[in-house]
Amino acid sequence: MLGSPGQGNYAAANAFLDALAHYRRAHGLPGLSINWGPWAEVGLSAAQANRGERLAQRGFASIAPAQGMEMLGRLMREATTQVGVLPINLRQWRQFYPQLAQTPLLAELIEQEEKSPQDTSQMRAALLAAAPSERSALLEAHLQEQIARVVRLPAAQIEPHTSFKSFGLDSLMAMELRNCLEGSLGVTLPVTMIFGYPTVTALASHLTSRLQILTGTETESPQAQPAAEAPALQRIAELSDDEVERLFAARVGAKKS
């Protein structure tokens, strides 16, 4: 229901099981399809410690085996055909997936959630209210906090001129960072920005220009993007997130070898 890029095969297989349960019920036969969230201690999400931690950071808590078995027994005693069982912090999830949160799937639940005390537009408002000369410093500090949160390092260790890859930022983390920035800055960003602007300083400069252009306080500069990088970035921008992830992984592998 709430997968990540590259899980199309899982989605197709699970959709078949959902349809099978509904088909059996329509013919008077027993059928139950449970759309489980991540389980603790067992399963793929528990195979590596960082998987569960990353999901938890995005708002997905893990289901303890005892809790899962109790829920299974309860659902088998009910007349339910399909149900999702997912411990989720919607407010935290929305921060990582601002665009997906606008889809109708969770509209009813999201409407019931009380507004976050820290509106995601506060940073954008603060940047636009600041003097142009102060925006870069504000944005750099914001980027350091967001990157530190994604790579799980203290913000003080995120040096402005150090490459993102030095902090262990991989392709999935790059997408997480992009999602966080889209939510806090109110702009649409390609995940490929990490290729063209691979440091806090470079990315802050680019994003400052984007915000100023959107508000009409600055015109698009032909020098905003290095000419030599423009064709390559344009080709990358046409790729899907899944294709970008594979490309990023291949490039990191080549560097290590």
Side-chain angles (χ1 to χ4, degrees):
M1 292 190 299
L2 301 172
S4 59
Q7 289 189 317
N9 52 340
Y10 286 93
N14 290 335
F16 169 79
L17 294 177
D18 295 337
L20 178 60
H22 285 280
Y23 177 84
R24 288 180 59 84
R25 284 297 182 113
H27 288 75
L29 300 171
L32 170 63
S33 180
I34 305 176
N35 305 135
W36 294 106
W39 281 53
E41 303 178 27
V42 295
L44 289 176
S45 63
Q48 296 179 1
N50 62 341
R51 289 180 181 174
E53 292 174 0
R54 182 174 294 175
L55 287 170
Q57 190 179 24
R58 300 178 189 179
F60 296 104
S62 295
I63 302 169
Q67 293 176 319
M69 295 305 294
E70 179 184 356
M71 180 60 69
L72 175 62
R74 185 190 310 174
L75 292 174
M76 291 182 70
R77 293 191 295 270
E78 296 180 359
T80 303
T81 303
Q82 180 184 358
V83 62
V85 179
L86 175 64
I88 182 173
N89 183 322
L90 279 176
R91 184 176 299 164
Q92 189 174 351
W93 178 77
R94 280 186 293 170
Q95 292 177 352
F96 276 91
Y97 304 99
Q99 293 182 344
L100 186 57
Q102 298 174 18
T103 60
L105 179 62
L106 296 179
E108 184 176 348
L109 290 177
I110 290 175
E111 286 176 2
Q112 296 174 6
E113 281 282 294
E114 60 185 29
K115 290 186 178 180
S116 171
Q118 292 185 341
D119 191 340
T120 55
S121 65
Q122 282 187 354
M123 176 52 63
R124 177 189 172 96
L127 286 167
L128 297 179
S133 59
E134 300 174 351
R135 288 173 181 167
S136 290
L138 283 173
L139 196 48
E140 283 193 15
H142 181 61
L143 287 175
Q144 286 173 305
E145 292 176 1
Q146 296 302 310
I147 294 168
R149 181 179 178 184
V150 170
V151 300
R152 304 179 70 83
L153 289 174
Q157 293 186 20
I158 309 300
E159 295 290 339
H161 300 287
T162 302
S163 170
F164 294 146
K165 288 190 291 185
S166 299
F167 305 126
L169 195 78
D170 59 22
S171 56
L172 287 177
M173 291 178 182
M175 284 187 276
E176 288 184 15
L177 177 60
R178 184 272 307 272
N179 292 340
C180 290
L181 294 177
E182 283 188 338
S184 64
L185 302 179
V187 294
T188 301
L189 304 169
V191 72
T192 52
M193 65 183 179
I194 193 172
F195 290 105
Y197 310 96
T199 67
V200 168
T201 301
L203 185 54
S205 177
H206 170 65
L207 292 176
T208 299
S209 298
R210 285 286 303 275
L211 288 171
Q212 292 175 172
I213 291 167
L214 288 175
T215 56
T217 57
E218 182 177 302
T219 57
E220 183 88 53
S221 169
Q223 302 301 323
Q225 182 172 292
E229 295 180 1
L233 288 174
Q234 179 60 39
R235 291 194 298 272
I236 293 174
E238 297 173 354
L239 300 175
S240 67
D241 283 352
D242 192 29
E243 290 169 329
V244 170
E245 181 182 343
R246 290 197 296 269
L247 176 60
F248 186 91
R251 291 185 62 175
V252 171
K255 290 286 185 181
K256 290 181 178 180
S257 60

